[in-house]
Amino acid sequence: MATEIKDAARAVEAAAVLELLPNRPRVLALGEPTHGEDSLLEVRNTLFRQLVEQEGYRTIALESDCLRGLAVDDHGTAGTGTLDAVMEHGFSHDRGASAANRALVRWIRAHNDGRPASEQVRFAGIDGPLEITGPESPRQALTALHGYLAAHGDADLLPCTAEALDTLLGADDRWTHPDAMLDPARSFGRSAEAGELRLLADDLVALLDEQTPQLIAATSRDDWDRARLYARSATGLLRYHSSMADTSPNRMTRLVALRDAMMAENLLALAERGPVLVHAHNSHLQRAKSTMRMWQGQVEWWSAGALAQVRLGAEYAVLATALGTIRHQGVDTPPPDTLEGLLYALPQAPCVVDPATLATALGEPRPAPRVSPWFGYAPLAPAQLGEMDGVVFVRDAE
């Protein structure tokens, strides 16, 4: 059986990946089992370049702030700003410090230089303007949406003035209190002002939809798409802030589910303009229900990938990545009777393998997942191989 897996393993290249799939997916999801390991991102970068050059992909989407990502896209398409500034301000979760992410942005800019817009590669973040524990103020999204409608739509139909919006928003620090995650009473999300802002945001989104032909004619499809991103971010953030103030036992489940719902809507919007490679944690892209243990106990939710799968069907495909070792985090050589151990014995890495081949090799009953000594690495669950379209294996994180 080891020989069969060895024969089935292929280099992580666009052609080998697409051979595993019945058709070229509109969304090809590449999951990662941990964050911050450039060895995984280098594999992603190589695969994306090949997807662009050989298969016509034009967008890469990362698990990073969708609004910050606009600066990266502007740099990649028009050369706006410096590379240093974009890496500092265009990413969330400290991902701008990654050498592999920097190489990706540099490659996008070089690829796009001198090309027409239709052939340019685009960058996007799919995460909301938040971390689980720290959502941003909705100011940027709401004011940008209002400004777009005021400038290009029928201003007489706006539900409020920019000044009234500013007064309701107030100081940004009322939205970003650092203790709000552990103490719902610190959240501003269910104040009278927040409630009024949710109603106004709903009216602004409705106006954006109602005036679509006029707005696209007055600006462009790209500008209208950006306004839609502001709209999704504004309503999503206000919903998230409201749930931050929730005191029920379901609070954390609701928050993680809302975050992935925002990711899914951003991803689906990107897929409207063409095929996308999305790179995020396995738990955000898998078809099976996601789980995570937090201080309040176990939470379960449907991931962005599971939500996108329902809408896209066969046009969604997911590759889950596993790692052999992360020795600087105490994750050593995997036991030979685990999924990672089976892959670690292969002579070729990184590689991509058909999950059906792996399932046959593991036999029934499937072994239990590998146990990681470090909370930051989530091993693959052998029982979920049937939910994957491919397994990418990287032997060692450097």
Side-chain angles (χ1 to χ4, degrees), residues 223-240:
D223 288 339
W224 180 75
D225 279 339
R226 185 166 291 201
R228 290 171 68 207
L229 174 60
Y230 289 132
R232 292 192 302 274
S233 299
T235 55
L237 274 173
L238 287 165
R239 197 176 296 123
Y240 197 92

Side-chain angles (χ1 to χ4, degrees), residues 254-273:
R254 178 69 173 151
L255 288 172
V256 295
L258 283 172
R259 182 187 179 197
D260 268 70
M262 292 176 71
M263 287 186 181
E265 289 303 315
N266 287 334
L267 184 55
L268 289 165
L270 294 171
E272 290 177 8
R273 69 189 188 197

Side-chain angles (χ1 to χ4, degrees), residues 138-149 162 165-166 169 204 230 234:
R139 173 180 298 280
Q140 179 187 0
L142 272 175
T143 56
L145 174 60
H146 186 281
Y148 176 78
L149 291 169
L165 196 64
D166 182 68
L169 285 163
L204 290 171
Y230 289 132

Side-chain angles (χ1 to χ4, degrees), residues 82-91 95-98 101-103 105:
T82 66
L83 179 59
D84 285 344
V86 164
M87 298 311 298
E88 182 178 357
H89 302 294
F91 291 83
R95 298 204 171 107
S98 160
N101 281 338
R102 188 181 186 88
V105 175

Side-chain angles (χ1 to χ4, degrees), residues 46-91:
T46 300
L47 177 60
F48 180 60
R49 287 195 296 269
Q50 293 176 355
L51 288 169
V52 169
E53 293 164 356
Q54 301 169 21
E55 303 296 339
Y57 278 67
R58 289 291 179 267
T59 300
I60 186 164
L62 306 188
E63 185 186 336
S64 185
D65 184 325
C66 58
L67 298 186
R68 292 193 189 191
L70 295 173
V72 183
D73 190 49
D74 287 343
H75 177 77
T77 56
T80 305
T82 66
L83 179 59
D84 285 344
V86 164
M87 298 311 298
E88 182 178 357
H89 302 294
F91 291 83

Side-chain angles (χ1 to χ4, degrees), residues 314-339:
E315 290 193 294
Y316 181 81
V318 59
L319 309 173
T321 299
L323 254 172
T325 71
I326 319 173
R327 290 197 167 90
H328 63 92
Q329 296 290 358
V331 182
D332 292 321
T333 304
D337 60 346
T338 63
L339 173 57

